[in-house]
Amino acid sequence: MTPTGPAPRLRPATPADEGFLLALTDRLAEFEAPPWRTATEIRGADHRILREALRQPTDDVSVTLVEDPPGTPAGYFFCTTRRDYFTAEPVAHVEVLVVRRGAQGRGLGRVLMDAAEVWARGRGIRQMSLNVFAANTRARELYRHLGYREETVHYLKRLDPR
Ligand SMILES: CC(C)(COP(=O)(O)OP(=O)(O)OC[C@H]1O[C@@H](n2cnc3c(N)ncnc32)[C@H](O)[C@@H]1OP(=O)(O)O)[C@@H](O)C(=O)NCCC(=O)NCCS
């Protein structure tokens, strides 16, 4: 899965990239979602914080785009800084990771996750976290290969109206 040709290029996203970034979030619903979640909910959830991050960048957030080949946007990660629930230590939380469909499988997911770790380390952060739907096997496989391990299991029960 090593990319061929010129090496992919990483760069911070700018407000001019907003259309590309928001369109790509459609991909976040491309797996068999639980019956109680709609694709609109899934892909829409990150739009607000992503827009805010682009328009009002701060040090504790990174929206980084990968271009492959250089000049052609192919994917991005969006990382925020949270606090570990148990220790209150800072944690870099991967809110979004997405690669354009036609650019999948050539190592860009890994390139982006490595870059997210570099960003976190550069800020003195020693933990990464993320959430992934249980059915998103492809993404889960990537995270497993990169050394991520499951921690808590999120349960949800819908209550019928009485
Ligand atoms: C998940 C995603 C970011 C992976 O990006 P990618 O560029 O294809 O990933 P890579 O090419 O770097 O592959 C990395 C790992 O993914 C896994 N992978 C790649 N292709 C795969 C496939 N066809 N089936 C299953 N796993 C696969 C492998 O474990 C691979 O590890 P390896 O390099 O040791 O073989 C991309 O598929 C995507 O954008 N999916 C839709 C959005 C999404 O679900 N994001 C995650 C939300 S939590």
Side-chain angles (χ1 to χ4, degrees):
M1 293 216 310
T2 308
T4 53
R9 185 167 68 198
L10 292 157
R11 67 164 172 85
T14 71
D17 298 309
E18 188 176 292
F20 168 77
L21 301 178
L22 294 182
L24 216 51
T25 57
D26 283 0
R27 299 223 55 222
L28 295 172
E30 276 182 19
F31 60 92
E32 200 177 327
W36 55 85
R37 292 285 175 210
T38 67
T40 310
E41 263 174 11
I42 292 172
R43 61 186 168 227
D46 292 304
H47 280 200
R48 185 183 51 78
I49 51 175
L50 184 57
R51 278 203 188 96
E52 206 175 285
L54 286 171
R55 291 172 191 182
Q56 292 169 326
T58 60
D59 277 354
D60 55 5
V61 167
S62 173
V63 187
T64 297
L65 206 134
V66 66
E67 298 178 337
D68 186 38
T72 304
Y76 72 99
F77 77 77
F78 171 30
C79 239
T80 57
T81 308
R82 297 187 179 187
R83 292 270 161 193
D84 184 274
Y85 179 74
F86 302 102
T87 65
E89 254 190 84
V91 185
H93 187 81
V94 183
E95 305 280 355
V96 180
L97 171 78
V98 60
V99 168
R100 200 166 48 75
R101 191 183 294 112
Q104 279 193 133
R106 15 190 244 241
L108 296 178
R110 187 178 283 260
V111 166
L112 285 165
M113 289 299 289
D114 288 348
E117 287 186 20
V118 168
W119 174 76
R121 283 177 195 277
R123 302 190 62 249
I125 296 176
R126 295 169 50 217
Q127 291 190 107
M128 305 288 300
S129 68
L130 56 86
N131 296 315
V132 59
F133 278 101
N136 194 346
T137 48
R138 182 175 182 130
R140 290 181 65 183
E141 194 59 14
L142 166 62
Y143 301 139
R144 200 182 58 78
H145 280 210
L146 295 178
Y148 287 75
R149 295 295 174 260
E150 289 165 21
E151 191 175 50
T152 58
V153 179
H154 182 78
Y155 279 80
L156 192 118
K157 176 184 172 182
R158 297 290 258 206
L159 300 178
D160 293 333
R162 293 243 162 104

